[in-house]
């Protein structure tokens, strides 16, 4: 069983909006326990907001690999589940233990294409409901990380 006492949300979104969505979904108390590592918002004198990129020197705005790599150096490192769907997730894709790649409704994914080209193992999904059983199985120790990345997809087939 893996220690899952702390959850982190790494996103290219903006922290005030992410915090509001999480508070609405799981309640303010539970959302407050989750560290959000994201871009931020700055307001000007006219009350307009402007995005403040976490890593402006990076072409990604928020280079998510910067947020993952320190955890890889811990002893022992925590299991890192990463959920991505596009270009902003490419820098972090190779650093996750279990990479979940979301497919668009049309079946396309820039991140999936990138992973295939570089040989990065990943699990395709369309909804978070599809990934919960696999994440739970890894956390509970019923499935190893190695077995999880071999799954390939959690999208149900029409059979």
């Amino acid at each position: 069983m893996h220690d899952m006492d702390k959850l982190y949300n790494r996103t290219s979104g903006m922290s005030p909006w992410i915090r509001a969505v999480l508070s609405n979904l799981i309640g303010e108390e539970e959302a407050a326990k989750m560290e959000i590592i994201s871009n931020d918002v700055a307001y000007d004198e006219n009350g307009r907001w402007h995005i403040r990129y976490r890593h402006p020197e990076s072409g990604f705005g928020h280079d998510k690999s910067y947020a993952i790599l320190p955890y890889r150096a811990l002893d022992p490192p925590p299991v890192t589940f990463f959920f991505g769907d596009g270009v902003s997730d490419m820098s972090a894709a190779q650093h996750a233990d279990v990479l979940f790649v979301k497919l668009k409704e049309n079946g396309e994914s820039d991140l999936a294409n990138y992973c295939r080209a570089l040989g990065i193992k990943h699990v395709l999904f369309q909804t978070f409901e599809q990934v919960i059983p696999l994440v739970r199985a890894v956390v509970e120790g019923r499935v190893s990380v190695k077995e999880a990345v071999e799954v390939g997809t959690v999208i149900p087939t029409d059979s």
Side-chain angles (χ1 to χ4, degrees):
M1 189 130 131
H2 297 283
D3 181 14
M4 296 295 286
D5 63 346
K6 188 74 173 166
L7 294 176
Y8 300 90
N9 184 327
R10 290 159 180 82
T11 177
S12 287
M14 293 165 281
S15 57
W17 286 266
I18 302 301
R19 180 77 57 203
V21 168
L22 287 171
S23 294
N24 187 47
L25 290 173
I26 62 175
E28 283 188 45
E29 187 177 325
E30 289 301 312
K33 296 177 186 176
M34 186 178 295
E35 183 177 347
I36 298 173
I37 302 170
S38 66
N39 294 313
D40 207 348
V41 173
Y43 295 92
D44 66 21
E45 63 279 353
N46 297 318
R48 289 182 301 208
W49 63 267
H50 304 274
I51 191 166
R52 269 195 0 221
Y53 292 106
R54 187 170 186 89
H55 305 112
E57 73 282 0
S58 167
F60 295 105
H62 174 198
D63 191 325
K64 295 172 191 168
S65 69
Y66 293 3
I68 291 176
L69 290 172
Y71 295 95
R72 306 304 305 146
L74 295 176
D75 186 27
V79 174
T80 303
F81 297 97
F82 189 86
F83 300 81
D85 66 352
V87 173
S88 70
D89 301 306
M90 290 177 181
S91 69
Q94 63 191 351
H95 302 294
D97 292 309
V98 182
L99 173 63
F100 291 96
V101 175
K102 186 172 194 256
L103 290 182
K104 296 176 188 172
E105 287 185 22
N106 65 4
E108 293 294 316
S109 169
D110 292 333
L111 183 58
N113 293 338
Y114 174 82
C115 290
R116 280 191 291 273
L118 294 181
I120 299 171
K121 293 186 182 216
H122 57 284
V123 179
L124 298 172
F125 77 102
Q126 292 174 318
T127 69
F128 285 111
E129 289 81 15
Q130 294 167 340
V131 302
I132 290 170
L134 184 56
V135 171
R136 182 175 288 129
V138 172
V139 170
E140 292 174 353
R142 294 181 284 114
V143 172
S144 72
V145 166
K146 183 176 179 173
E147 292 169 323
V149 297
E150 296 295 335
V151 167
T153 185
V154 291
I155 300 170
T157 58
D158 297 329
S159 49

